[in-house]
Amino acid sequence: MRRSRLVHHPFRKPSLDQMSMQAELTAQAVLERHFGFREFLDGQEGVIRSVLAGDDTLVVMPTGGGKSLCYQLPALLLEGITVVVSPLIALMKDQVDGLTAKGISATFINSSLNDHELDDRITRMMRGEFRLVYIAPERFKSARFVSALAPLSIALFAIDEAHCISQWGHDFRPDYLRLKHALREIGQPPVIALTATATPEVRADIITQLALDRAGRQPPHTFVTGFARHNLAFVVTRVRNKGEKLERVLEATRAGGTGIVYCATRKNVERRIRELRALGGDCVAYHGGMTNEQRTRAQTRFMSGAVPVAVATNAFGMGIDRADLRFILHYDIPGSVEAYYQEAGRAGRDGEPAHCELLFNYADIRTQEFFIEGANPTRAIIANTRETLIRLCAQGPIHMSIAAIAKSMIDIPNDMAVATALHLLERAGFMRRDYAPGERTYTTELIKPIKAPDSLAIDYERLDAKRKRDELKLRRMIDYADCPECRQYYILNYFGDTDAGDHRVCGRCDRCRSRHTVREGARLPTADETIIIQKALCCVGRLQGRFGRGRITQTLVGSRAKEVLDAGLDRQSTYGLLAEEGSDFVWSLIDALIAAGCIAVSGDKYPTVTLMPLGYEVAQGQKSIPLVMPARRPSPGVTVRRGKSGPSTKLVRLGSPQVRAGRKAADTVPDDFPASGPAAAVLERLKEWRRRKAAIMGGVPAYIIYPDKTLKALVLAQPRTPEDLLLIRGIGPAKARQFGKETLEIIRSAMKLS
Ligand code: ADP
Ligand code: ZN
């Protein structure tokens, strides 16, 4: 799904003066010959086409999406030098070495060079010895350097980490603001700006700050692509209180293996850690209030795999490259979708399935609102802080903590807002602060003459605008929690990912799943039905995206129709696999698999079917999901196959004659309860819940809750209502009152997930 192989045609030819021997090579050939890749990753092809056409291009791709190729490949096809501005000075040498190893001439210019080396490199650049030159942004401070570049023939000016130019980005670098000027000096070469930061507002800012939409330029082609994470399952769980949150955390940490629990505040981290450890959890804490030493130690223990779970604030993130995180759980709602996706996106870097869950409770929104107020104080708070300081400092400098200053103010609930106000007042030249080494409390002193409120250099409008923006971001995050549609789709749509359009369902998130599973009449397939389903899914997978439902059905039933033979489908390994089932059955089965989110249909005129990630898991036997199974026709073959293809689970359903006759369902528990398959998976979930419950109840023995036999009876009977429960042996009214609701919930959700 990630790769595109559509590149059999050469790119649009570059303009005549760009034609060189090399330009005649197609991008595809360069990709194979110089980079050793066979296919483009999502989005690369379109970007490269835009760059080769000489257009300004803005690329938003997540980290690891393959941004470098978007300028490195054109560098080999365009005539002239490709300049690459990158703030990652530490990585420049590696990048250059990597290119050199591929036979591509490249070099870098940054502050690690002495004057002699610098002159040497500039001279060699002039002689055209390099195809790519990496340049650190601060070099553009030097007017001499910029004028030395001016005579060069610069084919492409690539700006990596382009969000650094935006003050709204998370990594603003003033040096980037000089690039606009440099571009003018060197004759406005075509620009490619690249970033992984997907907020629409940062994107707009990049264009403005580089003046890409001015001076007669067409606005750049913008590509936002590659944000979909096909292995992540997004889930939002509504929780009413801390107890429910703790249960979910325990469940995730027990079931999920390695992962991170993100909390909004340090206090929350501390509390969660205490609770988890009390219950035997193995976890490290990480937040900004810990000493450097403590943090390094926590990070090392987590990264080395010594401890499976980290409970952390968003301070934990930079440099986490553990690829095998199986879950990211948000204990509190974060302030924006970008923050959420960045943190959740740390799960499953290895491409294996991973779980991203947000625990959502409306009351938690208050914490984020508090942060927003704190980061963006109102004019009134700033005025109040100013007056308070005048009062407090009447007798000279004061030595007071921020909290103490806040306390001495009238009507001020939020310390953080006071801290921000103090910072703004200091920057505006109203007062100065000093603190002795080793101390955390400032000495604050007013600067005389005392500035009047109107003469303070504080941009209130900007503060207000930022507050509004932050509020809007939080709103969109809350919308994520509430959204009725596919969660992954919501996120892609939020970022404006151009790939989001086709597939409005991911098939993995809670929304997609519930849509498929609450379907009337859906049930878990039996063992031999499972095999049939797997065969059908395999066929879809092999013919991935090339044929519609009709052709797939014909292939599976082994049709001799002309169109089947013409397409060579009779040579497929899945040809005729479901011959005995008949085409009506197979057609309906494919319908059911589409409804269940295992298969997607796309295209209007000639719709084709493709295997979804969920379908892949089902095909691999990793998952079993409830389906509306079509009826199989009685045929001689059916009876023969029964019993041959593995143990079939006798599902004694409630409402069955035995149950109606007054016998309790538990009486019918067969001795040969299956050791694997869907029933076993549901049983495992129940046991997991029982373990957790037993721990919460102070470590009572498991059978106090339910003995194994009752659990098995529950699995087989699949009760849906409290009345159903009472029909099961071992469950009386007291038990049903105590555990009934949870039991039913577990069974319901396990049937969905297993
Ligand atoms: P980004 O800068 O977007 O974080 P990189 O340019 O470093 O990503 O690329 C990420 C990885 O993907 C690198 O290992 C790179 O070699 C690889 N890569 C890039 N393009 C392709 C491709 N077309 N096929 C296979 N791998 C690729
Ligand atoms: Zn979804």
Side-chain angles (χ1 to χ4, degrees):
M1 199 159 281
R2 185 159 150 68
R3 275 140 222 262
S4 77
R5 264 234 95 181
L6 305 169
V7 206
H8 302 301
H9 51 87
F11 285 114
R12 194 163 113 201
K13 284 249 163 57
S15 62
L16 267 182
D17 60 338
Q18 286 177 326
M19 288 265 269
S20 67
M21 278 209 336
Q22 277 205 299
E24 287 177 12
L25 290 172
T26 63
Q28 177 71 30
V30 174
L31 181 71
E32 290 177 23
R33 191 170 306 171
H34 290 276
F35 294 93
F37 301 136
R38 283 187 44 229
E39 299 158 342
F40 286 103
L41 300 180
D42 275 353
Q44 284 178 333
E45 189 196 348
V47 171
I48 289 172
R49 189 176 297 162
S50 162
V51 171
L52 288 179
D55 294 333
D56 289 333
T57 309
L58 172 61
V59 181
V60 188
M61 261 187 209
T63 306
K67 285 188 282 301
S68 327
L69 191 88
C70 296
Y71 53 81
Q72 288 174 348
L73 191 151
L76 301 187
L77 287 171
L78 294 169
E79 211 174 28
I81 286 186
T82 292
V83 166
V84 185
V85 180
S86 166
L88 306 171
I89 294 168
L91 302 183
M92 273 187 190
K93 190 170 176 313
D94 291 334
Q95 280 163 332
V96 166
D97 289 348
L99 287 167
T100 313
K102 294 189 178 84
I104 301 168
S105 56
T107 191
F108 64 86
I109 293 180
N110 63 26
S111 54
S112 73
L113 306 180
N114 61 35
D115 286 353
H116 174 70
E117 287 169 317
L118 180 66
D119 287 345
D120 178 53
R121 287 194 191 180
I122 291 180
T123 314
R124 289 173 62 198
M125 258 165 83
M126 295 299 189
R127 284 207 302 259
E129 284 188 28
F130 306 116
R131 286 238 153 230
L132 284 118
V133 181
Y134 284 79
I135 302 180
E138 71 272 9
R139 296 302 315 164
F140 293 92
K141 264 192 272 195
S142 153
R144 248 191 68 217
F145 178 78
V146 174
S147 43
L149 285 184
L152 281 172
S153 142
I154 294 178
L156 178 63
F157 198 89
I159 303 173
D160 207 0
E161 312 288 340
H163 58 271
C164 293
I165 203 167
S166 171
Q167 312 210 30
W168 308 128
H170 49 88
D171 194 15
F172 173 59
R173 298 184 187 224
D175 286 335
Y176 265 66
L177 293 176
R178 295 173 191 280
L179 295 176
K180 172 163 59 178
H181 172 71
L183 282 171
R184 209 169 45 231
E185 292 292 299
I186 58 179
Q188 303 287 12
V191 169
I192 176 172
L194 309 103
T195 177
T197 304
T199 57
E201 128 206 310
V202 169
R203 228 183 290 159
D205 213 22
I206 292 171
I207 296 175
T208 314
Q209 298 300 339
L210 289 172
L212 293 184
D213 52 351
R214 268 170 280 157
R217 294 175 97 118
Q218 292 291 320
H221 285 297
T222 300
F223 296 84
V224 185
T225 174
F227 283 86
R229 294 287 307 278
H230 300 294
N231 57 327
L232 302 188
F234 292 95
V235 172
V236 177
T237 305
R238 283 292 184 101
V239 285
R240 277 165 305 183
N241 50 44
K242 293 207 177 85
E244 288 185 6
K245 281 191 175 188
L246 178 59
E247 285 208 18
R248 281 305 304 145
V249 174
L250 284 172
E251 204 159 61
T253 53
R254 295 218 170 117
T258 302
I260 304 175
V261 178
Y262 276 110
C263 300
T265 62
R266 296 170 187 182
K267 225 194 249 161
N268 271 358
V269 170
E270 303 278 351
R271 288 191 188 133
R272 289 331 44 101
I273 280 282
R274 274 199 299 274
E275 287 166 359
L276 285 176
R277 290 204 178 131
L279 289 162
D282 194 7
C283 44
V284 292
Y286 191 102
H287 60 67
M290 292 160 49
T291 64
N292 283 344
E293 206 174 273
Q294 288 170 322
R295 275 187 289 174
T296 312
R297 200 174 114 78
Q299 181 155 352
T300 315
R301 289 180 65 212
F302 183 68
M303 294 298 291
S304 68
V307 179
V309 175
V311 181
T313 60
N314 60 7
F316 194 52
M318 289 297 141
I320 297 202
D321 52 7
R322 217 181 138 164
D324 62 346
L325 301 184
R326 292 278 69 82
F327 74 89
I328 301 284
L329 194 122
H330 279 76
Y331 190 87
D332 304 298
I333 192 167
S336 67
V337 176
E338 34 293 22
Y340 179 67
Y341 203 48
Q342 188 177 44
E343 286 158 15
R346 299 200 167 105
R349 286 268 176 229
D350 54 6
E352 298 293 321
H355 177 85
C356 304
E357 181 168 338
L358 167 68
L359 303 184
F360 181 54
N361 176 353
Y362 273 105
D364 297 343
I365 297 169
R366 185 64 207 126
T367 311
Q368 290 301 335
E369 286 170 346
F370 183 86
F371 286 158
I372 294 173
E373 284 163 24
N376 308 286
T378 58
R379 193 185 267 263
I381 290 179
I382 298 170
N384 193 346
T385 310
R386 178 182 165 281
E387 277 151 28
T388 306
L389 282 183
I390 293 177
R391 181 162 48 83
L392 293 172
C393 298
Q395 312 302 324
I398 52 165
H399 188 75
M400 275 172 88
S401 70
I402 291 171
I405 294 174
K407 251 200 211 105
S408 65
M409 294 167 71
I410 323 151
D411 286 345
I412 294 297
N414 189 337
D415 280 13
M416 227 175 104
V418 176
T420 312
L422 287 168
H423 177 73
L424 290 169
L425 287 167
E426 182 180 22
R427 266 209 336 218
F430 174 75
M431 44 87 156
R432 73 171 72 85
R433 292 189 288 183
D434 282 306
Y435 65 100
E439 259 195 69
R440 285 200 150 191
T441 307
Y442 291 101
T443 299
T444 305
E445 179 183 7
L446 299 189
I447 294 172
K448 302 280 168 51
I450 293 175
K451 285 202 167 139
D454 288 346
S455 64
L456 290 171
I458 294 178
D459 191 341
Y460 294 104
E461 266 171 36
R462 192 154 156 176
L463 268 176
D464 288 342
K466 187 166 160 302
R467 184 182 322 111
K468 288 223 174 64
R469 246 197 323 272
D470 288 353
E471 283 164 357
L472 193 67
K473 284 183 176 179
L474 176 59
R475 189 64 245 164
R476 300 293 309 267
M477 185 62 214
I478 299 166
D479 290 345
Y480 167 81
D482 281 337
C483 80
E485 70 211 290
C486 169
R487 309 257 185 222
Q488 172 80 91
Y489 177 73
Y490 179 92
I491 294 171
L492 294 182
N493 197 36
Y494 176 85
F495 288 138
D497 188 320
T498 35
D499 299 337
D502 283 356
H503 295 291
R504 282 168 165 262
V505 288
C506 74
R508 300 173 310 276
C509 72
D510 53 349
R511 290 300 192 227
C512 286
R513 278 170 193 277
S514 65
R515 219 187 341 271
H516 306 312
T517 50
V518 268
R519 221 158 264 278
E520 198 60 34
R523 60 171 173 82
L524 288 175
T526 61
D528 30 8
E529 285 170 341
T530 301
I531 289 170
I532 291 173
I533 290 169
Q534 288 172 342
K535 287 176 178 171
L537 290 172
C538 276
C539 181
V540 174
R542 300 216 168 193
L543 301 178
Q544 193 70 312
R546 287 188 290 146
F547 299 97
R549 237 186 278 205
R551 219 57 92 243
I552 302 277
T553 306
Q554 287 173 314
T555 306
L556 279 166
V557 299
S559 157
R560 305 295 299 165
K562 181 171 181 306
E563 62 272 27
V564 173
L565 303 182
D566 282 353
L569 293 173
D570 54 331
R571 292 193 301 275
Q572 284 289 325
S573 57
T574 50
Y575 181 77
L577 272 185
L578 297 180
E580 291 166 18
E581 305 297 340
S583 34
D584 281 350
F585 172 88
V586 174
W587 179 270
S588 311
L589 178 66
I590 291 183
D591 255 354
L593 289 167
I594 291 170
C598 292
I599 299 176
V601 186
S602 49
D604 288 336
K605 205 157 161 219
Y606 301 108
T608 57
V609 293
T610 42
L611 197 60
M612 298 297 283
L614 177 65
Y616 180 78
E617 290 171 59
V618 173
Q620 299 291 310
Q622 292 161 359
K623 199 162 274 173
S624 178
I625 55 160
L627 285 182
V628 188
M629 284 297 293
R632 292 165 73 190
R633 68 174 181 196
S635 82
V638 173
T639 41
V640 177
R641 267 196 324 277
R642 273 204 184 288
K644 258 194 165 177
S645 34
S648 78
T649 312
K650 252 188 284 160
L651 281 186
V652 181
R653 301 290 236 97
L654 290 163
S656 67
Q658 295 104 307
V659 175
R660 264 186 263 118
R663 281 174 63 192
K664 282 214 168 193
D667 286 345
T668 62
V669 174
D671 292 329
D672 60 343
F673 192 90
S676 62
V682 178
L683 180 65
E684 206 32 59
R685 298 261 308 183
L686 279 168
K687 285 190 172 169
E688 215 173 73
W689 165 80
R690 185 177 61 175
R691 266 195 295 280
R692 185 162 39 84
K693 199 79 206 164
I696 292 171
M697 289 168 66
V700 299
Y703 64 81
I704 297 275
I705 299 168
Y706 291 133
D708 281 359
K709 202 170 166 192
T710 308
L711 289 189
K712 286 180 186 168
L714 279 167
V715 175
L716 295 179
Q718 302 179 6
R720 282 164 197 271
T721 63
E723 292 78 343
D724 287 354
L725 278 180
L726 293 175
L727 289 171
I728 290 168
R729 166 166 285 185
I731 303 187
K735 272 244 140 59
R737 255 201 313 279
Q738 196 178 3
F739 301 123
K741 195 153 160 288
E742 274 176 272
T743 310
L744 290 170
E745 177 56 33
I746 299 276
I747 291 176
R748 201 171 59 77
S749 78
M751 307 252 313
K752 246 192 267 174
L753 293 175
S754 69

PDB file of all heavy atoms in Angstrom, residues 416-433:
ATOM      1  N   MET A 416       0.940  29.540  36.302  1.00  0.00           N
ATOM      2  CA  MET A 416       1.621  29.488  35.021  1.00  0.00           C
ATOM      3  C   MET A 416       1.411  30.789  34.242  1.00  0.00           C
ATOM      4  O   MET A 416       2.337  31.287  33.593  1.00  0.00           O
ATOM      5  CB  MET A 416       1.031  28.338  34.217  1.00  0.00           C
ATOM      6  CG  MET A 416       2.065  27.451  33.592  1.00  0.00           C
ATOM      7  SD  MET A 416       1.163  26.095  32.818  1.00  0.00           S
ATOM      8  CE  MET A 416       1.253  26.558  31.127  1.00  0.00           C
ATOM      9  N   ALA A 417       0.204  31.340  34.343  1.00  0.00           N
ATOM     10  CA  ALA A 417      -0.077  32.591  33.636  1.00  0.00           C
ATOM     11  C   ALA A 417       0.781  33.716  34.218  1.00  0.00           C
ATOM     12  O   ALA A 417       1.282  34.581  33.490  1.00  0.00           O
ATOM     13  CB  ALA A 417      -1.557  32.934  33.738  1.00  0.00           C
ATOM     14  N   VAL A 418       0.960  33.682  35.542  1.00  0.00           N
ATOM     15  CA  VAL A 418       1.795  34.693  36.175  1.00  0.00           C
ATOM     16  C   VAL A 418       3.239  34.538  35.718  1.00  0.00           C
ATOM     17  O   VAL A 418       3.919  35.519  35.403  1.00  0.00           O
ATOM     18  CB  VAL A 418       1.687  34.590  37.714  1.00  0.00           C
ATOM     19  CG1 VAL A 418       2.630  35.574  38.393  1.00  0.00           C
ATOM     20  CG2 VAL A 418       0.250  34.827  38.146  1.00  0.00           C
ATOM     21  N   ALA A 419       3.691  33.283  35.635  1.00  0.00           N
ATOM     22  CA  ALA A 419       5.061  33.040  35.179  1.00  0.00           C
ATOM     23  C   ALA A 419       5.246  33.597  33.766  1.00  0.00           C
ATOM     24  O   ALA A 419       6.252  34.248  33.467  1.00  0.00           O
ATOM     25  CB  ALA A 419       5.367  31.542  35.201  1.00  0.00           C
ATOM     26  N   THR A 420       4.266  33.348  32.901  1.00  0.00           N
ATOM     27  CA  THR A 420       4.379  33.861  31.530  1.00  0.00           C
ATOM     28  C   THR A 420       4.330  35.392  31.524  1.00  0.00           C
ATOM     29  O   THR A 420       5.100  36.043  30.811  1.00  0.00           O
ATOM     30  CB  THR A 420       3.246  33.314  30.641  1.00  0.00           C
ATOM     31  OG1 THR A 420       3.164  31.911  30.836  1.00  0.00           O
ATOM     32  CG2 THR A 420       3.506  33.596  29.169  1.00  0.00           C
ATOM     33  N   ALA A 421       3.442  35.957  32.351  1.00  0.00           N
ATOM     34  CA  ALA A 421       3.354  37.414  32.417  1.00  0.00           C
ATOM     35  C   ALA A 421       4.682  38.019  32.881  1.00  0.00           C
ATOM     36  O   ALA A 421       5.157  39.028  32.332  1.00  0.00           O
ATOM     37  CB  ALA A 421       2.225  37.825  33.354  1.00  0.00           C
ATOM     38  N   LEU A 422       5.308  37.392  33.884  1.00  0.00           N
ATOM     39  CA  LEU A 422       6.599  37.887  34.374  1.00  0.00           C
ATOM     40  C   LEU A 422       7.639  37.850  33.257  1.00  0.00           C
ATOM     41  O   LEU A 422       8.413  38.792  33.074  1.00  0.00           O
ATOM     42  CB  LEU A 422       7.071  37.036  35.562  1.00  0.00           C
ATOM     43  CG  LEU A 422       6.308  37.263  36.880  1.00  0.00           C
ATOM     44  CD1 LEU A 422       6.647  36.178  37.902  1.00  0.00           C
ATOM     45  CD2 LEU A 422       6.631  38.656  37.445  1.00  0.00           C
ATOM     46  N   HIS A 423       7.597  36.761  32.517  1.00  0.00           N
ATOM     47  CA  HIS A 423       8.545  36.614  31.425  1.00  0.00           C
ATOM     48  C   HIS A 423       8.343  37.724  30.385  1.00  0.00           C
ATOM     49  O   HIS A 423       9.305  38.339  29.916  1.00  0.00           O
ATOM     50  CB  HIS A 423       8.333  35.227  30.805  1.00  0.00           C
ATOM     51  CG  HIS A 423       9.181  34.958  29.625  1.00  0.00           C
ATOM     52  ND1 HIS A 423      10.533  34.723  29.721  1.00  0.00           N
ATOM     53  CD2 HIS A 423       8.868  34.916  28.308  1.00  0.00           C
ATOM     54  CE1 HIS A 423      11.019  34.537  28.511  1.00  0.00           C
ATOM     55  NE2 HIS A 423      10.030  34.639  27.629  1.00  0.00           N
ATOM     56  N   LEU A 424       7.096  38.002  30.076  1.00  0.00           N
ATOM     57  CA  LEU A 424       6.797  39.049  29.085  1.00  0.00           C
ATOM     58  C   LEU A 424       7.229  40.424  29.594  1.00  0.00           C
ATOM     59  O   LEU A 424       7.784  41.235  28.851  1.00  0.00           O
ATOM     60  CB  LEU A 424       5.294  39.061  28.765  1.00  0.00           C
ATOM     61  CG  LEU A 424       4.770  37.862  27.975  1.00  0.00           C
ATOM     62  CD1 LEU A 424       3.243  37.850  27.963  1.00  0.00           C
ATOM     63  CD2 LEU A 424       5.316  37.882  26.550  1.00  0.00           C
ATOM     64  N   LEU A 425       6.969  40.663  30.890  1.00  0.00           N
ATOM     65  CA  LEU A 425       7.343  41.967  31.473  1.00  0.00           C
ATOM     66  C   LEU A 425       8.860  42.137  31.480  1.00  0.00           C
ATOM     67  O   LEU A 425       9.374  43.228  31.254  1.00  0.00           O
ATOM     68  CB  LEU A 425       6.783  42.083  32.896  1.00  0.00           C
ATOM     69  CG  LEU A 425       5.270  42.286  32.985  1.00  0.00           C
ATOM     70  CD1 LEU A 425       4.778  42.064  34.409  1.00  0.00           C
ATOM     71  CD2 LEU A 425       4.901  43.691  32.492  1.00  0.00           C
ATOM     72  N   GLU A 426       9.545  41.053  31.721  1.00  0.00           N
ATOM     73  CA  GLU A 426      11.004  41.110  31.735  1.00  0.00           C
ATOM     74  C   GLU A 426      11.519  41.439  30.339  1.00  0.00           C
ATOM     75  O   GLU A 426      12.365  42.313  30.158  1.00  0.00           O
ATOM     76  CB  GLU A 426      11.556  39.755  32.207  1.00  0.00           C
ATOM     77  CG  GLU A 426      13.075  39.743  32.310  1.00  0.00           C
ATOM     78  CD  GLU A 426      13.605  38.388  32.769  1.00  0.00           C
ATOM     79  OE1 GLU A 426      12.877  37.377  32.612  1.00  0.00           O
ATOM     80  OE2 GLU A 426      14.733  38.350  33.271  1.00  0.00           O
ATOM     81  N   ARG A 427      10.939  40.737  29.350  1.00  0.00           N
ATOM     82  CA  ARG A 427      11.372  40.970  27.968  1.00  0.00           C
ATOM     83  C   ARG A 427      11.037  42.390  27.510  1.00  0.00           C
ATOM     84  O   ARG A 427      11.725  42.965  26.682  1.00  0.00           O
ATOM     85  CB  ARG A 427      10.705  39.965  27.032  1.00  0.00           C
ATOM     86  CG  ARG A 427      11.554  38.753  26.792  1.00  0.00           C
ATOM     87  CD  ARG A 427      11.297  38.127  25.441  1.00  0.00           C
ATOM     88  NE  ARG A 427       9.987  38.434  24.894  1.00  0.00           N
ATOM     89  CZ  ARG A 427       9.242  37.570  24.220  1.00  0.00           C
ATOM     90  NH1 ARG A 427       9.665  36.344  24.042  1.00  0.00           N
ATOM     91  NH2 ARG A 427       8.081  37.919  23.741  1.00  0.00           N
ATOM     92  N   ALA A 428       9.982  42.927  28.088  1.00  0.00           N
ATOM     93  CA  ALA A 428       9.561  44.272  27.685  1.00  0.00           C
ATOM     94  C   ALA A 428      10.359  45.356  28.401  1.00  0.00           C
ATOM     95  O   ALA A 428      10.061  46.546  28.274  1.00  0.00           O
ATOM     96  CB  ALA A 428       8.075  44.442  27.958  1.00  0.00           C
ATOM     97  N   GLY A 429      11.335  44.957  29.207  1.00  0.00           N
ATOM     98  CA  GLY A 429      12.201  45.930  29.874  1.00  0.00           C
ATOM     99  C   GLY A 429      11.563  46.614  31.074  1.00  0.00           C
ATOM    100  O   GLY A 429      11.971  47.688  31.479  1.00  0.00           O
ATOM    101  N   PHE A 430      10.568  45.950  31.672  1.00  0.00           N
ATOM    102  CA  PHE A 430       9.912  46.518  32.845  1.00  0.00           C
ATOM    103  C   PHE A 430      10.705  46.211  34.106  1.00  0.00           C
ATOM    104  O   PHE A 430      10.772  47.013  35.021  1.00  0.00           O
ATOM    105  CB  PHE A 430       8.498  45.943  32.939  1.00  0.00           C
ATOM    106  CG  PHE A 430       7.761  46.347  34.184  1.00  0.00           C
ATOM    107  CD1 PHE A 430       7.252  47.638  34.319  1.00  0.00           C
ATOM    108  CD2 PHE A 430       7.582  45.446  35.226  1.00  0.00           C
ATOM    109  CE1 PHE A 430       6.563  48.005  35.464  1.00  0.00           C
ATOM    110  CE2 PHE A 430       6.908  45.805  36.377  1.00  0.00           C
ATOM    111  CZ  PHE A 430       6.393  47.089  36.490  1.00  0.00           C
ATOM    112  N   MET A 431      11.274  45.035  34.144  1.00  0.00           N
ATOM    113  CA  MET A 431      12.077  44.652  35.328  1.00  0.00           C
ATOM    114  C   MET A 431      13.175  43.696  34.871  1.00  0.00           C
ATOM    115  O   MET A 431      13.204  43.246  33.747  1.00  0.00           O
ATOM    116  CB  MET A 431      11.167  44.002  36.377  1.00  0.00           C
ATOM    117  CG  MET A 431      10.169  42.988  35.854  1.00  0.00           C
ATOM    118  SD  MET A 431      10.791  41.319  35.738  1.00  0.00           S
ATOM    119  CE  MET A 431       9.347  40.339  35.825  1.00  0.00           C
ATOM    120  N   ARG A 432      14.095  43.444  35.797  1.00  0.00           N
ATOM    121  CA  ARG A 432      15.107  42.426  35.477  1.00  0.00           C
ATOM    122  C   ARG A 432      15.133  41.389  36.576  1.00  0.00           C
ATOM    123  O   ARG A 432      14.726  41.665  37.718  1.00  0.00           O
ATOM    124  CB  ARG A 432      16.487  43.064  35.258  1.00  0.00           C
ATOM    125  CG  ARG A 432      17.204  43.561  36.491  1.00  0.00           C
ATOM    126  CD  ARG A 432      18.639  43.958  36.138  1.00  0.00           C
ATOM    127  NE  ARG A 432      18.679  45.201  35.341  1.00  0.00           N
ATOM    128  CZ  ARG A 432      18.665  46.437  35.866  1.00  0.00           C
ATOM    129  NH1 ARG A 432      18.619  46.595  37.170  1.00  0.00           N
ATOM    130  NH2 ARG A 432      18.715  47.501  35.096  1.00  0.00           N
ATOM    131  N   ARG A 433      15.558  40.189  36.201  1.00  0.00           N
ATOM    132  CA  ARG A 433      15.619  39.110  37.191  1.00  0.00           C
ATOM    133  C   ARG A 433      16.996  38.468  37.179  1.00  0.00           C
ATOM    134  O   ARG A 433      17.610  38.307  36.119  1.00  0.00           O
ATOM    135  CB  ARG A 433      14.556  38.042  36.875  1.00  0.00           C
ATOM    136  CG  ARG A 433      13.156  38.565  37.081  1.00  0.00           C
ATOM    137  CD  ARG A 433      12.130  37.476  36.998  1.00  0.00           C
ATOM    138  NE  ARG A 433      11.924  36.993  35.636  1.00  0.00           N
ATOM    139  CZ  ARG A 433      11.015  36.065  35.331  1.00  0.00           C
ATOM    140  NH1 ARG A 433      10.276  35.515  36.285  1.00  0.00           N
ATOM    141  NH2 ARG A 433      10.861  35.679  34.083  1.00  0.00           N
TER     142      ARG A 433
END
